[in-house]
């Protein structure tokens, strides 16, 4: 396998709204330069600090539906009255460049990725407890009461899916959780399927040694 053919890893990160996935991903990106964040499409209105094209591509319901019909999404799902989807072409282009692609998506979408991309690694981020999750959601002051209730109800609906993920990380302290995520990414990167270039280089070193040996014998 040549460098050009080397495929990147697909990493799915899920967890209840308010658990701190965004912060963890940002911190992880500061540590590793091979990470690419897939920017999703959503019909949700932007929050005050959110930038179109950076945090999400904010689109109308009609545009979202058009993309669904054109098969543009690797996965898509509804969440708390809004639709969210991952661009298939964006993800494939990044994987083809050998980059590690992070998807921050909810559980229904994650299960679709599991079906369509069995090579993906699924990580679920847990808060230390329900009470802590509730405190974080109220504390960040980005949602109104009704939206917070919907997000907490959604967190409950996620419970049966957590065991379907490959890894679970508890976000008690950001620095510790980032360490754990980094360790997981390092371990996944050592799977033999991602180490083909190293394995082939090792194979070549044998061939070279054997060829040199034959030359020496001939002298
Ligand atoms: P928020 O509105 O708080 O940014 O995101 C709400 C939920 O939607 C989060 O759980 C987030 O992980 C999820 N989400 C964001 N983008 C996508 C996407 O492209 N697909 C799916 N299925 N979920 C997404």
């Amino acid at each position: 396998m040549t460098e050009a053919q080397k495929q990147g890893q697909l990493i799915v990160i899920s967890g209840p709204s308010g658990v701190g996935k965004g912060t963890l991903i940002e911190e992880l990106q500061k540590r590793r330069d091979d990470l690419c964040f897939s920017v999703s499409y959503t019909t949700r209105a932007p929050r005050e600090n959110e930038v179109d094209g950076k945090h999400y591509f904010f689109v109308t319901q009609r545009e979202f539906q058009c993309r669904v019909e054109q098969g543009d999404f690797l996965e898509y799902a509804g969440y708390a009255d809004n639709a969210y989807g991952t661009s298939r072409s964006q993800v494939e282009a990044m994987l083809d460049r050998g980059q590690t692609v992070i998807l921050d998506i909810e559980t229904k979408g994650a299960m679709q990725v599991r079906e369509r991309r069995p090579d993906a690694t699924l990580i679920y981020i847990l808060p230390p407890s329900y009470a802590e999750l509730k405190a974080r959601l109220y504390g960040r002051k980005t949602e109104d009461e009704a939206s917070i209730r919907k997000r907490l109800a959604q967190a409950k609906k996620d419970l049966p899916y957590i065991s379907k993920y490959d890894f679970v990380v508890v976000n008690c302290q950001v620095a510790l959780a980032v360490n754990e995520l980094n360790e997981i990414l390092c371990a996944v990167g050592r799977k033999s399927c991602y180490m083909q270039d190293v394995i082939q280089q090792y194979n070549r070193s044998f061939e070279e040694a054997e060829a040199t040996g034959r030359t020496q014998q001939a002298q």
Side-chain angles (χ1 to χ4, degrees), residues 65-128:
Q65 192 51 36
C66 241
R67 287 182 175 273
V68 170
E69 283 159 21
Q70 285 165 355
D72 282 357
F73 291 131
L74 170 62
E75 63 69 39
Y76 67 95
Y79 183 96
D81 294 341
N82 296 300
Y84 296 82
T86 302
S87 157
R88 182 193 305 277
S89 55
Q90 198 192 129
V91 168
E92 284 174 0
M94 293 188 290
L95 290 175
D96 287 346
R97 288 198 295 267
Q99 287 166 313
T100 301
V101 181
I102 305 269
L103 306 184
D104 168 357
I105 62 177
E106 52 69 63
T107 45
K108 293 187 289 296
M111 295 303 121
Q112 293 170 39
V113 175
R114 164 126 291 167
E115 285 276 304
R116 291 169 196 165
R117 297 286 312 219
D119 58 310
T121 301
L122 273 57
I123 309 174
Y124 196 90
I125 313 288
L126 285 183

Side-chain angles (χ1 to χ4, degrees), residues 173-185:
Q173 279 180 41
V174 170
L176 296 181
V178 172
N179 280 347
E180 286 183 23
L181 285 173
N182 193 33
E183 281 167 13
I184 293 169
L185 263 54

Side-chain angles (χ1 to χ4, degrees), residues 126-136 170:
L126 285 183
S129 65
Y130 173 78
E132 176 65 24
L133 179 67
K134 199 170 163 186
R136 286 184 196 176
V170 183

Side-chain angles (χ1 to χ4, degrees), residues 13 15 17 21 40-41 44 47 50 56 75-77 79 84-86 104-106 109-110 140 143 151:
I13 297 191
S17 181
K21 284 167 293 173
S40 296
Y41 286 78
R44 162 166 86 58
R47 295 183 185 129
E50 285 180 331
Y56 284 104
E75 63 69 39
Y76 67 95
Y79 183 96
Y84 296 82
T86 302
D104 168 357
I105 62 177
E106 52 69 63
R140 75 180 188 184
E143 259 81 27
R151 281 157 194 269

